[in-house]
Amino acid sequence: MALLALGPVAGFSQSPAPKVTAKPAAKAAAPVRSRTSVQYAKGFTLSYVGNYKVLTILSPFEQKTTATRYLLLPRGTARPTGFTEAQVIELPIRTLVGLSSMHVALADFLGASNILVGLGSFQYVSAPKVRQRITEGKVLEVGQGKQLNNELLVAQHPDLVMVTGWPGESLPRFQTLAAANIPVLINSEWVETTPLGRAEWVKVMAALLDKEDLVNQKFNQVVRDYQRLAASTRNVAKRPTVVVGMPFKDVWHVPDADSYMAQFLRDAGTTYPWDKTRAPSGSLALSFETVAPVALAADYWLHTGSTKSKAEIVAQDARYTAFAPFKRGMVYNNNRRTNAEGSNDYWESGAVRPDLVLADLIKILHPELLPTWQLRYYQQLK
Amino acid sequence: MVQTSVAPSTRLARAATYRRGVWLVVLLGLVALGFVLDIGLGPVRIPLPAVVDILLGNPTDTPAWHFIVQQIRLPKALTALVVGSGLAVSGLQMQTLFRNPLAGPSALGLTAGAGLGVAAVMLASGSVAGGFAIRALGVGGSWALVLAATTGAGLVMSLVLVLSARLRDNVVMLIVGLMVASVTGAIVSLWQYFSAPEQIQEYLMWTFGSLGGVVGNHLLVLTTVVGAGLLLAFASAKPLNALLLGENYARSMGLVVGRSRTLIILSTSLLAGAITAFCGPIGFVGIAVPHLTRGLLRTADHRVLLPGACLLGAALTLGCDCLAQLPGSQTVLPLNVVTSLLGAPVVLWVVLRRQNIRSSFS
């Protein structure tokens, strides 16, 4: 852990070195004690300067030109000079409004789900503690994505609003909140190209909560487990062929080589036909005809949309019965942990526990490697 | 003097009939060519002899080719045939009935009604009663979509039929259709506004139109309904001819206008409703093909125009589907994009060449 704390690891783009020589703050605050560093994620950088932290979210779509910078200051300290364009977030944040299930997962991973005071939609929440808070009326529903209920947010005045970054997204859209001094943080974790990179966004949350020690401990455990599992498949005798996803009429979207799903499949010891094909959007829109030959002969079929049984697959399109995995019953979907509201925990806790997801995949594809593992997110369709 | 003037005009008429006959045969050839190309071409390269072998039921070494030709390409080409002719005929009927060159299958709000039905399934599923109600009926997957789209189109059709019995004016009917489309469109927008992005994406995919996914029972149902609609349309060729001259004139010729109109609207509803239900709103074919047919056959006689539109619609849709599959590429383009990109310039060319399109409608 001490090694990790040494600072930015080579290999990820560091923002222009903050030249501000740690000016003595107006109120003498203790310098930040514990630190963490980013190893896998490419969407943000974190640096420690004096008693504050600089968090930079890199726009994955326009490279660094639209990077958004945040100054994370201990509560009550004066704003340092420089970083004129940066938003200030006072630490630790005590109340958070999160718009995606990923944000729930980030808070829950650090045992801080009680800071959630608002959500985009109640429908997509799995964490029992958050559901409990919703029932108790402690959480507001502030509207999804593009239609934030600004009045509700201004009245509530949370310490931070976390939004999901989309292509072309920019902060000016949140002018009203900025005018009300509510910081808005763009989180684009979903563009990460590896499962560990995606999960590492918990470090953003940890920096906001001053929980670096905890995140180092917990995330490093996830990394160790993930890498041990990935290593176990490296020399498997057979790498089964998998086909992923569910077509809609003519179009079959499959993950491209740079997606975290493709990395999962590599680490799980599979033969994935589109392992070398790249697309700007992270997924390939292929014609049904292109994927069909693979699906006909594949060993496994994963992620079959919203289906929960083979009968539901047949109801979608009777042609799917011709696929070899369907005939041999090797169809697995990632919706075992779907609650009554229709929210799938795979997209929530699964996002920050890639070790568990990988264990599931290995259990499915190489059952002999994990004889005692019980599937957590996946289920076999009967 | 009289004799000399009659003889050339008869000869001219005969020549015109002959020319139309030739065109119809050429169109038939185009349909056959399009059909063969649509089955022969695709992202996966299959040699033509192998395609023929598979179609004849002979075994080949590659089982995947069997699946692709029999389960993907053949149903899709058949769907293109049915969809193309159905949409073209329904467009022709609408343009004549409303005496408006801009009318199309969507003019009565049928497409919008079907879209509303689909939105009810896709955007409400899992949250609001709508989706659950349809699932409770035991209708799964794609049938749920078809059922919803048919219900939506059917509701709009009933409304239109009731109104058409009361309203004498076809222009008023056209406005009613546009307004119904506006209202349903607004409801869908409202629904989208409150929906999750992935649901909206699914709905958006549907609005792009697609010939894939119509297989087995779906194809049977689609063909039956469109066949019935086409029969009704062909039966109404004479009333359509009379309507071209205006309702009063048609009435003076002894046509029961109200009944003919109901027949035509029913036929269009069957055609456009069923096709939208199975394939999504496929734009442009319905508006463009009637104009192309009139330009090609140079006649206003629906006994010639109807079969002409059928053939041309089928050929055009087959051609567009070939392009949408982009031979050599693994991606597939939305059919709506191809029909519009390809169709609009052609229609412009025809319209600009003829200049006074109004003469076809009066």
Side-chain angles (χ1 to χ4, degrees), chain A residues 249-250 285 287 289 316 319, chain B residues 71 73 142 212 278 330-331:
Chain A
K249 296 201 170 190
D250 279 349
S287 70
E289 182 179 323
Q316 296 276 336
R319 289 179 292 184
Chain B
Q71 301 285 323
R73 290 189 188 172
S142 43
F278 283 97
Q330 299 195 321
T331 4

Side-chain angles (χ1 to χ4, degrees), chain B:
Chain B
M1 192 72 181
V2 172
Q3 272 183 332
T4 48
S5 73
V6 166
S9 77
T10 328
R11 216 179 299 143
L12 267 181
R14 273 208 201 113
T17 316
Y18 175 73
R19 211 175 50 83
R20 278 173 210 140
V22 170
W23 266 119
L24 286 182
V25 173
V26 168
L27 284 179
L28 197 64
L30 276 180
V31 172
L33 181 71
F35 194 78
V36 170
L37 282 180
D38 203 26
I39 295 182
L41 295 177
V44 175
R45 269 199 63 186
I46 305 176
L48 204 58
V51 173
V52 175
D53 265 358
I54 292 166
L55 288 177
L56 292 175
N58 299 331
T60 51
D61 310 333
T62 329
W65 287 359
H66 263 276
F67 184 83
I68 289 173
V69 171
Q70 290 180 343
Q71 301 285 323
I72 301 180
R73 290 189 188 172
L74 187 61
K76 201 143 58 67
L78 289 173
T79 310
L81 268 183
V82 173
V83 166
S85 39
L87 285 179
V89 165
S90 97
L92 179 63
Q93 293 188 99
M94 287 299 99
Q95 292 180 0
T96 303
L97 178 67
F98 294 127
R99 298 220 286 157
N100 188 324
L102 290 176
S106 54
L108 290 175
L110 290 174
T111 319
L116 183 64
V118 170
V121 174
M122 283 191 175
L123 303 181
S125 58
S127 60
V128 187
F132 278 134
I134 288 165
R135 289 195 180 170
L137 286 172
V139 185
S142 43
W143 278 114
L145 282 192
V146 171
L147 186 76
T150 317
T151 313
L155 283 177
V156 173
M157 182 181 85
S158 322
L159 180 73
V160 167
L161 279 176
V162 168
L163 287 173
S164 77
R166 287 166 170 257
L167 297 171
R168 296 264 156 239
D169 193 339
N170 278 331
V171 176
V172 177
M173 278 305 301
L174 194 58
I175 294 173
V176 167
L178 288 173
M179 290 306 111
V180 169
S182 248
V183 169
T184 47
I187 296 173
V188 172
S189 299
L190 197 65
W191 225 320
Q192 289 181 322
Y193 187 79
F194 290 109
S195 293
E198 59 271 18
Q199 290 174 307
I200 296 174
Q201 200 205 2
E202 207 176 321
Y203 180 76
L204 197 66
M205 292 286 293
W206 179 82
T207 64
F208 286 160
S210 155
L211 301 175
V214 187
V215 279
N217 291 337
H218 284 182
L219 189 55
L220 202 67
V221 172
L222 176 68
T223 313
T224 313
V225 178
V226 170
L230 285 178
L231 277 182
L232 278 182
F234 278 95
S236 59
K238 276 187 180 171
L240 281 167
N241 279 346
L243 280 172
L244 266 187
L245 305 169
E247 290 206 351
N248 288 329
Y249 192 87
R251 208 169 280 124
S252 76
M253 283 171 68
L255 186 74
V256 187
V257 171
R259 207 171 58 197
S260 304
R261 210 164 56 158
T262 310
L263 199 71
I264 293 166
I265 290 179
L266 188 69
S267 157
T268 297
S269 305
L270 285 178
L271 293 171
I275 291 169
T276 312
F278 283 97
C279 305
I282 292 173
F284 210 72
V285 176
I287 288 186
V289 173
H291 290 298
L292 292 177
T293 318
R294 273 189 290 264
L296 212 59
L297 301 176
R298 296 214 201 118
T299 179
D301 186 352
H302 285 80
R303 286 170 303 181
V304 182
L305 280 181
L306 281 169
C310 256
L311 293 173
L312 193 55
L316 190 80
T317 312
L318 281 164
C320 287
D321 190 49
C322 288
L323 285 181
Q325 298 297 318
L326 279 180
S329 145
Q330 299 195 321
T331 4
V332 58
L333 295 179
L335 190 67
N336 265 342
V337 173
V338 183
T339 51
S340 297
L341 275 182
L342 193 79
V346 180
V347 169
L348 263 185
W349 179 67
V350 170
V351 169
L352 290 178
R353 224 170 51 117
R354 295 184 68 207
Q355 303 252 341
N356 61 335
I357 207 112
R358 199 173 295 160
S359 63
S360 303
F361 295 93
S362 54

Side-chain angles (χ1 to χ4, degrees), chain A residues 288-319:
Chain A
F288 183 43
E289 182 179 323
T290 312
V291 188
V294 176
L296 281 169
D299 297 307
Y300 292 90
W301 186 7
L302 304 174
H303 295 202
T304 49
S306 59
T307 55
K308 293 190 186 72
S309 67
K310 286 171 87 173
E312 285 181 41
I313 292 184
V314 181
Q316 296 276 336
D317 194 328
R319 289 179 292 184

Side-chain angles (χ1 to χ4, degrees), chain A residues 108-129:
Chain A
D108 201 48
F109 184 83
L110 298 169
S113 51
N114 60 333
I115 63 165
L116 279 167
V117 293
L119 289 166
S121 161
F122 290 165
Q123 205 194 324
Y124 300 110
V125 179
S126 293
K129 279 180 198 153

